[in-house]
């Protein structure tokens, strides 16, 4: 009996064990390094062009992730790039965060400023079809409403931008390598994200196994008989009209302010120095090193090349041909040390979903922080089209209030002005001086309407002050290191063009209102009236009861016609009229020029007409 039981129980137990072991094995999570493990994961999405509004949104969300107690911050990137100042603001927010575990997730594309932001993070993980790079600086053409177009950036812009950009790239790369404990991200290849004339080769140190990029000068010293090779990495090729003239050009000297700032500071040692990746960058090497000296240089982990023993080095590939900033796909990011999610064989292990991202960190809770509704609303409200419409409404409301003070125009103008200022304030586009300029302009216009008759110096100064303040709303704040940010040219021109179009539209609308003031349903109720029982109450009753005026009748304005008001005809009748063009001061001789149902138009009588 016992033997029979054993015959049945033993196969059954074996079967149960066989079924249980795989399930237990599958339940075990993949090994994750302790430095990366994050039970609470915050994902911050960045899926649009980068501007000042995006920078402030990212700063807010980083603070929110910190307050929520996140163990890691992931910047999910799918962006074409954007403004230099805004990009560096985001980089500084990432670097200054109290959360050290910062990771960029290139979920499709991280071009231009997106690549710089990714480099600012401690690690980069990528989707299977990710693309990364092309962060060269471009100048923005002065074309209203036109998007950024590639063009050669002038040297004066490079003088302001290159020291900061390349110092940041060097610091980001060196910090990562120092954290990783090995030379993983190549310093010259990192520079090639921005430098559009970098010609680089890839070599391997056969003694240490370390791989690195070298310049043409280093190639000629190591491999004087090297065969010509075809570049293996893609680039954002420059147009033929934008030829680099960096080869043989003179270095750009330090300005006096930078020299004064670094005076007395210790010189950079060899490990802290900067190796330029291209002739163009070499022209600014002194300024880049000065910026590194100001900010406190990070030690370079780039291996020293032993030119006395060239046989220890193997020439692997030519990376770039000096025709544009580098563009790297997912496999190349894994190959050249930019991506952290690689398999043991060195191939990419793509992270394509948030579930896979969560598993990468062994996250138990995930908090996704998108742009808030108020930021999205502010983005719509600060678009040139909406701002232009609000400007037209504001100006027309001011015009109506000046023509026929009733308070309604002031209310509409205040609402339109609030629609201009408040979203811009949320977006960080409105500062104290813009609000002060607009407030001063409104005060001057109020003096013109309620204190000084007619339209004179106060009104003109008020409009100029308002226009200056509104123009400032089109300009986003930029980092102080970038007073010459070329993107601001586009902002300024878009603002000027919007104001000009709004002014033209307001002029046309104002002329239409002045011609048909009494017949526009809403505005007709705003016609000025005087409490005088012995006089006609309004224009329609005057025409219906006595028809006192005919074309060519003359009289005298007894109130200022702006454009509506009262005149006294030669017959002694008092009627309400509309000035055909402009304003007519009280006491001016006038002539009836048109008589229509609900409207009598007049024009001033010149001396020649009286004669």
């Amino acid at each position: 009996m016992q033997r029979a039981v054993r015959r049945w129980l033993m196969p059954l137990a074996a079967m149960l064990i066989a079924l249980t072991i795989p399930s237990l094995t599958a339940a075990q999570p993949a090994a994750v390094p302790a430095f990366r493990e994050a039970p609470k994961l915050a994902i911050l999405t960045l899926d649009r062009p980068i501007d000042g509004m995006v920078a402030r949104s990212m700063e807010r969300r980083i603070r929110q992730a910190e307050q929520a107690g996140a163990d890691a911050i992931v910047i999910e990137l799918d962006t074409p790039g954007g403004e230099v100042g805004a990009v560096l603001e985001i980089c500084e927010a990432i670097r200054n965060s109290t959360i050290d575990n910062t990771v960029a997730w290139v979920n499709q594309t991280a071009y231009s400023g997106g690549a710089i932001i990714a480099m600012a993070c401690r690690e980069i993980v990528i989707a299977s079809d990710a693309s990364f790079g092309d962060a060269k600086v471009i100048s923005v053409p002065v074309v209203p409403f036109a998007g950024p177009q590639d063009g050669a950036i002038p040297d004066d812009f490079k003088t302001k931008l290159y020291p900061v950009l390349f110092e940041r790239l060097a610091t980001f790369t060196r910090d990562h390598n120092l954290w990783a404990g090995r030379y993983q991200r190549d310093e010259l290849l990192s520079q090639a994200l921005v430098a559009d004339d970098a010609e680089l080769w890839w070599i391997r140190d056969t003694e240490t196994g370390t791989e690195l990029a070298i310049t043409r000068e280093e190639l000629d010293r190591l491999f004087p008989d090297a065969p010509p090779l075809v570049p293996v990495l893609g680039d954002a090729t420059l147009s033929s009209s934008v030829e680099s003239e960096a080869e043989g050009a003179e270095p750009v000297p330090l300005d006096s302010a930078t020299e004064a700032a670094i005076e007395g500071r210790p010189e950079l040692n060899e490990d802290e120095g900067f190796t330029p990746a291209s002739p163009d960058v070499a022209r600014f090497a002194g300024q880049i090193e000065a910026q590194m000296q100001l900010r406190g240089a990070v030690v370079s982990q780039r291996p020293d090349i032993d030119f006395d023993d060239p046989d220890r080095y193997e020439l692997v590939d030519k990376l770039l041909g000096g025709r544009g900033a580098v563009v790297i796909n997912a496999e190349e990011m894994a190959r050249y040390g930019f991506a952290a999610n690689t398999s043991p064989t060195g191939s990419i292990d793509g992270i394509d979903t948030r579930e896979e991202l969560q598993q990468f960190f062994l996250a138990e809770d995930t908090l996704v922080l998108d742009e808030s509704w108020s930021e999205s609303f502010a983005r719509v409200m600060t678009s040139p089209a909406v701002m232009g419409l609000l400007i037209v409404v504001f100006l027309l409301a001011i015009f109506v209030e000046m023509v026929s003070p009733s308070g309604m125009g002031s209310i509409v103008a205040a609402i339109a002005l609030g629609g201009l200022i408040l979203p811009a304030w949320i977006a960080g586009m409105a500062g104290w001086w813009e609000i002060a300029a607009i407030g001063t302009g409104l005060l001057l216009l109020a003096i013109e309407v309620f204190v000084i008759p007619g339209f004179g110096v106060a009104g003109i100064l008020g409009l100029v002050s308002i226009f200056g303040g509104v123009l400032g709303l089109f300009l986003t704040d930029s980092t102080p290191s970038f007073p010459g940010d070329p993107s601001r040219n586009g902002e300024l021109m878009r603002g000027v063009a919007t104001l000009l179009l709004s002014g033209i539209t307001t002029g046309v609308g104002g002329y239409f209102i002045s011609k048909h003031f009494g017949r526009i349903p809403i505005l007709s109720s705003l016609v000025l009236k005087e409490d005088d029982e012995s006089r006609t109450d309004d224009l329609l009753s005057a025409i219906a009861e006595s028809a006192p005026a005919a074309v060519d009748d003359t009289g005298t304005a007894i109130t200022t016609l702006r454009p509506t008001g009262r005149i006294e005809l030669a017959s002694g009748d008092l009627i309400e009229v509309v000035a055909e063009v402009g304003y007519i001061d009280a006491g001016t001789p006038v002539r009836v020029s048109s008589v229509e149902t609900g409207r009598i138009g007049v024009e001033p009588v010149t001396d020649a007409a009286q004669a």
Side-chain angles (χ1 to χ4, degrees), residues 83 140-146 382-392 395 420 429 433-434 463-464 466-476 486-504:
E83 300 169 7
V140 179
V142 184
V143 179
F145 304 106
T382 54
S383 65
V386 175
M387 291 182 72
L389 177 62
L390 289 173
I391 291 169
V392 171
L395 293 177
L420 279 170
M429 297 165 62
W433 78 265
E434 291 98 335
L463 287 178
V464 170
I466 290 173
F467 269 56
V470 172
L471 181 59
L473 300 180
F474 287 86
L475 305 178
T476 57
S487 66
R488 293 179 71 84
N489 290 341
E491 292 176 351
L492 180 63
M493 289 308 300
R494 283 193 293 272
V496 170
T498 301
L499 287 176
L500 287 177
L501 290 175
S502 299
I504 293 172

Side-chain angles (χ1 to χ4, degrees), residues 247-265:
E247 198 75 51
E250 293 294 325
V252 177
L254 292 178
D255 59 87
S256 57
T258 303
E259 286 183 340
I262 64 175
E263 185 177 359
R265 291 174 178 261

Side-chain angles (χ1 to χ4, degrees), residues 151-420:
I153 181 171
D155 271 356
D156 58 340
F157 283 143
K158 286 183 178 180
T159 302
K160 297 167 183 175
L161 296 174
Y162 270 27
V164 179
L165 276 177
F166 285 103
E167 182 276 327
R168 292 285 78 197
L169 273 174
T171 297
F172 298 161
T173 303
R174 294 179 182 188
D175 276 353
H176 171 81
N177 291 337
L178 188 64
W179 169 81
R182 62 191 179 92
Y183 191 68
Q184 189 174 59
R185 292 183 190 170
D186 185 78
E187 292 186 15
L188 301 190
L189 188 53
S190 295
Q191 291 179 46
L193 294 171
V194 175
D196 52 28
D197 64 333
E199 191 176 14
L200 300 176
W201 286 259
W202 195 250
I203 64 170
R204 179 184 298 110
D205 186 335
T206 57
E207 292 186 5
T208 64
T210 303
E211 297 183 338
L212 68 154
I214 61 173
T215 63
R216 173 172 285 281
E217 179 184 0
E218 294 170 328
L219 175 79
D220 292 340
R221 294 179 64 183
L222 285 176
F223 308 101
D225 300 323
L229 298 173
V230 177
V232 296
L233 296 183
D235 55 44
T237 305
L238 298 174
S239 63
S240 59
S241 62
V242 188
E243 294 291 343
S244 173
E245 300 178 359
E247 198 75 51
E250 293 294 325
V252 177
L254 292 178
D255 59 87
S256 57
T258 303
E259 286 183 340
I262 64 175
E263 185 177 359
R265 291 174 178 261
E267 294 290 334
L268 298 179
N269 59 42
E270 184 176 343
D271 289 335
E272 296 169 337
F274 178 78
T275 303
S278 75
D280 194 21
V281 178
R283 296 172 55 213
F284 300 90
Q287 294 176 315
I288 295 168
E289 289 199 344
Q291 185 69 20
M292 295 174 70
Q293 190 173 354
L294 285 172
R295 294 184 65 106
V298 181
V299 175
S300 172
Q301 290 83 39
R302 186 173 190 254
D304 293 328
I305 299 175
D306 187 357
F307 294 104
D308 294 330
D309 186 13
D311 291 337
R312 67 181 285 185
Y313 299 101
E314 175 188 358
L315 179 61
V316 180
D317 280 311
K318 183 176 183 178
L319 296 181
L320 290 166
R323 290 292 301 166
V326 67
V327 179
I328 312 176
N329 62 31
E331 292 294 339
E332 291 163 346
M333 289 184 72
R335 167 70 178 86
Y336 296 104
F338 288 97
N341 54 317
T342 58
S343 66
T345 61
S347 62
I348 189 67
D349 188 7
I351 297 177
D352 300 312
T353 66
R354 288 179 179 170
E355 289 74 18
E356 293 174 350
L357 183 72
Q358 188 172 349
Q359 183 62 32
F360 185 77
F361 288 92
L362 281 186
E364 300 171 3
D365 298 307
T366 300
L367 176 64
V368 179
L369 300 175
D370 296 316
E371 188 177 72
S372 67
W373 71 266
S374 59
E375 290 163 346
S376 300
F377 174 73
R379 181 177 302 282
V380 173
M381 294 296 291
T382 54
S383 65
V386 175
M387 291 182 72
L389 177 62
L390 289 173
I391 291 169
V392 171
V393 173
F394 170 75
L395 293 177
L396 285 177
I398 290 292
F399 173 74
V400 170
E401 186 66 23
M402 295 177 69
V403 167
S404 180
S406 64
M408 183 61 67
S410 299
I411 294 173
V412 174
I415 294 173
L417 188 61
L420 279 170

